[in-house]
Amino acid sequence: MKLTARQQEILAFIRGQVEERGSAPTREEICRAFGFRSPYAAECHLRALTRKGAIELVSGSARGIRLPRGSGPADELPLVGRVAAGAPILAVEHLEGRYRVDPRLFHPRPDYLLRVRGESMRDAGILDGDLLAVRQSPEVRNGQIVVARIDDEVTVKYFQRTGDRVSLLPANPDFTPIAIDPGHRELVIEGIGVGVLRALKE
């Protein structure tokens, strides 16, 4: 389906933001860029772009706009290094660069790479310095490897929910599981691990 002139402008803006800083714009940022009076106007344009196959929307994420496979910069994944407390995981100051990755390596396709720190997931084959391929998704099942933000800390662990309680489980007996009561402590799932890349050390 053919895009309107305004839809083409918004799509170009989204692509530019992804290319420049590694993350899609929020609805509010689209509003400011195009002079819309409310985020609802931006949302209407985004839904129209989704219907026409130009973008994909990810529920539960302020920056949940994904460019479909094969649409230029989206084939390059942003690499996230250390994450500052309280800042979005794909904030520009966290990005170490971009890597072109064959999308056929992973299923589902990841949205970014996270440089792993520490050995807490060693027995799952995820070592210090590895690049974890992460798919942004607020939905998670027990047993999946997740990138979780607890208060202001970001960690990689197995996810386990029992009733209202959530446990983040390491894959290394030297580390202690993290028990969370979401009613008393903030927990945000930043994404699900879908694969690992290992840089060869000289």
Side-chain angles (χ1 to χ4, degrees), residues 2 6 41 69 71 77 101 139 157 165 170 190 200:
K2 188 176 180 179
R6 178 46 60 94
R69 187 178 299 174
S71 53
L77 298 178
V101 177
E139 299 179 2
K157 295 289 186 292
R165 292 270 182 178
E190 297 279 6
L200 297 178

Side-chain angles (χ1 to χ4, degrees), residues 12-186:
F13 176 70
I14 293 169
R15 283 177 172 162
Q17 292 289 292
V18 170
E19 184 172 11
E20 289 173 15
R21 62 184 197 181
S23 61
T26 63
R27 275 67 168 171
E28 289 76 12
E29 288 168 344
I30 294 173
C31 283
R32 289 197 298 271
F34 291 93
F36 298 147
R37 294 183 178 180
S38 75
Y40 177 74
E43 184 69 24
C44 289
H45 283 291
L46 292 177
R47 293 195 179 280
L49 286 169
T50 301
R51 287 194 300 271
K52 294 180 179 182
I55 63 171
E56 300 170 3
L57 293 179
V58 180
S59 61
S61 173
R63 298 185 184 277
I65 303 170
R66 181 181 294 125
L67 295 171
R69 187 178 299 174
S71 53
D75 290 335
E76 292 186 348
L77 298 178
L79 172 60
V80 178
R82 293 193 179 277
V83 178
I89 199 164
L90 287 173
V92 65
E93 61 267 25
H94 303 159
L95 302 184
E96 295 183 357
R98 302 183 67 84
Y99 280 69
R100 183 167 290 278
V101 177
D102 187 337
R104 293 171 296 183
L105 288 175
F106 306 105
H107 183 77
R109 187 186 188 280
D111 295 298
Y112 62 92
L113 301 171
L114 176 70
R115 188 178 298 281
V116 175
R117 307 289 181 181
E119 298 285 345
S120 69
M121 296 300 287
R122 179 195 66 196
D123 295 346
I126 303 173
L127 307 180
D128 183 59
D130 283 354
L131 306 183
L132 181 68
V134 184
R135 172 84 167 190
Q136 286 182 306
S137 174
E139 299 179 2
V140 58
R141 299 189 305 273
N142 284 347
Q144 288 184 310
I145 293 173
V146 299
V147 177
R149 186 188 295 272
I150 312 163
D151 299 326
D152 283 332
E153 298 293 325
V154 171
T155 186
V156 177
K157 295 289 186 292
Y158 283 116
F159 181 89
Q160 183 71 39
R161 182 188 296 277
T162 306
D164 294 333
R165 292 270 182 178
V166 171
S167 295
L168 297 176
L169 308 176
N172 184 334
D174 295 335
F175 290 77
T176 303
I178 302 170
I180 300 169
D181 180 351
H184 294 86
R185 197 173 183 190
E186 184 179 13

